[in-house]
Amino acid sequence: MMALASVGTFSLPGEHYTQSGIAIVTAFAMIGFPSISLWAAVGAKIRVWLSSPTRRRQFNLSMGAATAATIFLIV
């Protein structure tokens, strides 16, 4: 969905379509790869940290509270 919206918004018509497409793909790769890598690395660290039942419970409570706090953004 995001890729379709990006191509529709940022691609240039005519003879510059290919260059703008390459620029969009490059931007996605430059942002996406480091973001996904960071997400995976943090997930691996959290997995080790959450091996303790006490830490897992604290984490679940804090994530639940953060999720519940978003109600203020909705209302």
Side-chain angles (χ1 to χ4, degrees):
M1 191 64 135
M2 195 166 123
L4 289 173
S6 297
V7 169
T9 304
F10 299 113
S11 63
L12 300 173
E15 63 187 49
H16 299 292
Y17 182 75
T18 304
Q19 290 89 357
S20 63
I22 291 170
I24 292 168
V25 169
T26 302
F28 268 79
M30 290 176 63
I31 299 299
F33 183 72
S35 298
I36 292 169
S37 299
L38 180 64
W39 184 271
V42 170
K45 294 293 182 187
I46 286 177
R47 179 179 179 197
V48 172
W49 188 76
L50 291 177
S51 60
S52 164
T54 305
R55 288 185 188 150
R56 191 177 317 119
R57 179 155 174 80
Q58 290 173 345
F59 179 79
N60 286 338
L61 288 172
S62 63
M63 291 297 107
T67 302
T70 61
I71 192 74
F72 299 114
L73 297 173
I74 297 170
V75 173

